[in-house]
Amino acid sequence: MKRGKKLFLLLLALAVLLGTTAAVKALSPKEEASQEVYTTIFTVDSETVTDLHWKYSEDVSVTKKDDAWVYSEDPAFPLDSSYIDTMLSALSEITSAKTIENVEDWDQYTLEAPVCEINFTADGTDYTIKVGEETSLGNQRYLSIGDGNAYLVDSSFLSAFQYGLYDILKMEEVPEMDNVLSLEHISSDSNYTIENKEGSGLAYSDEYIWFLNDQPLDTELTETLLRYVTDTTWQECVNYHAEDLSKYGLDNPAVTMVAHYTQEENTQEQTFSLEIGDACEDGYYARISGSNMVYTIPKTAAEALIFTTYADLKPEDVLLMDWDKVSSVDIVLDEETYTIRISSTTSTDEDGNEVQEVTYTLDGEEIDGDSILNALDALDSTGYASGSPGENPEEIRFVIHQNHQTFPEVELVFYRYNSTSCMVTLNGEPTVLVNREDVVSLVETVNDQVL
């Protein structure tokens, strides 16, 4: 190849390489070059704003009176002024990434019929700001401040004004109820009161806290019901000054729940009363007793408060026993009685920690009593029992002796109910049903130790 031709090909390759490099640079600009530069186009001292009106989903006007913001059409409206503070903060300084000067066709920038129009008075001067749609690239939207130009501003500017009247309403607060003493259920069908009687000795176990007519209730189920009152959550306010409560079924509530409680900082007994009315599309209407503000609350919470009865709160436990207080257990099986004695000793380990050792003996011989008690504790209820065992045969009986002033003895009996279930009686009263297979397994565990 001739020397001149070689030189030509080298120069051509170099040109292609330089062109490719330039193209890559054009397609991959430096990060700082791609960032938008925003400049301030409008400022206002928010402290000087006296009137504010915006139209987004509806027209809303607020006015500053005696250094406080009120709804212009009704000063009694419970306004949450934090929303107004957010709006004023957005107005105090507006920045733009691009200016389109001397606009003739406002419709081209969606500002002829804007998404939101804001009018306000500051220091005696009236201002109008119009906010249009987002641009096709997103993250920016068109805006006008009334100077004949259109601007591109950050799309988040609109978020401060995307509210209707009821969106900026301040809902009533449910008080903190640190210690609930009792809960009254008042309705046309039934009235009952759940009381906190922890440590009262009304039940065979001090584990029970809540009682209805001195009958113990399931702790978990009861406290779930309590939380529907203490943690009441308003979904929305539908009327901030309801004059006709019959529209919401609150002239004759389906249920009134009255919580008696104390707070950590105030040990004096206080009350909170919640009324629940008719069902609606999103739940149920509700209000705080004596209030004119009507809300909706979730269906699940409302129906639990309306329809829960004592039967729904009865303990589901087969046996809730604090074995630390038990001194002995009589087990009656196949007409034979076996007495297991329980003793404990406390010692100190090498680290100075107290260690409790429990010993189980039968006729003076040590046995694995934990296996029996664990099998008993593991039994689960399959439902509440009704009626009486009648002539049904007894599978196994436990008579538990404990250090308890009111219930020194607790009798637990399992009767064959049908081919799949056993009925449990506690101190002679039917309580729950359990799987017969589980009772058979319990009997086998007992036999392994006592025979």
Side-chain angles (χ1 to χ4, degrees), residues 382-451:
T382 60
Y384 295 115
S386 60
S388 64
E391 300 299 321
N392 291 337
E394 180 181 309
E395 299 274 11
I396 191 170
R397 176 188 301 260
F398 295 83
V399 181
I400 301 165
H401 305 271
Q402 64 169 340
N403 180 23
H404 193 287
Q405 185 174 357
T406 312
F407 294 90
E409 290 185 359
V410 178
E411 184 184 68
L412 187 73
V413 186
F414 296 85
Y415 294 91
R416 187 180 304 174
Y417 187 69
N418 54 37
S419 61
T420 60
S421 298
C422 284
M423 174 185 284
V424 182
T425 65
L426 184 66
N427 295 331
E429 296 294 327
T431 56
V432 295
L433 299 175
V434 295
N435 284 324
R436 187 163 183 269
E437 287 184 1
D438 295 338
V439 176
V440 171
S441 178
L442 172 64
V443 170
E444 292 175 351
T445 300
V446 172
N447 276 324
D448 288 342
Q449 298 300 317
V450 301
L451 296 182

Side-chain angles (χ1 to χ4, degrees), residues 96-239:
S96 169
K98 183 178 180 180
T99 302
I100 304 164
E101 297 180 344
N102 303 319
V103 174
E104 295 183 0
D105 183 7
W106 291 102
D107 191 49
Q108 181 181 354
Y109 304 106
T110 66
L111 291 169
E112 186 70 39
V115 175
C116 179
E117 182 173 324
I118 307 158
N119 296 281
F120 61 97
T121 302
D123 202 19
T125 302
D126 296 331
Y127 298 92
T128 297
I129 293 176
K130 297 179 181 181
V131 187
E133 299 281 0
E134 272 195 334
T135 64
S136 57
L137 295 178
N139 297 325
Q140 293 179 335
R141 62 176 65 247
Y142 297 105
L143 179 139
S144 164
I145 60 174
D147 62 355
N149 299 329
Y151 298 93
L152 283 180
V153 300
D154 192 285
S155 191
S156 63
F157 175 83
L158 181 62
S159 63
F161 299 90
Q162 291 178 311
Y163 302 104
L165 178 62
Y166 273 78
D167 296 322
I168 62 171
L169 172 144
K170 187 174 185 179
M171 298 184 186
E172 295 165 296
E173 293 184 1
V174 176
E176 292 288 338
M177 292 174 254
D178 301 316
N179 180 32
V180 177
L181 307 175
S182 64
L183 181 68
E184 297 178 63
H185 173 284
I186 304 169
S187 71
S188 58
D189 296 329
S190 65
N191 295 345
Y192 62 80
T193 301
I194 296 169
E195 298 179 90
N196 184 330
K197 293 188 175 182
E198 185 174 7
S200 62
L202 289 171
Y204 72 89
S205 170
D206 293 337
E207 300 271 339
Y208 290 108
I209 299 172
W210 303 99
F211 292 79
L212 196 163
N213 297 329
D214 290 343
Q215 296 299 311
L217 303 176
D218 184 281
T219 301
E220 184 176 348
L221 295 174
T222 303
E223 292 186 348
T224 296
L225 184 71
L226 289 170
R227 283 193 293 272
Y228 284 133
V229 176
T230 60
D231 298 344
T232 296
T233 301
W234 311 125
Q235 293 185 136
E236 64 174 335
C237 178
V238 296
N239 194 328

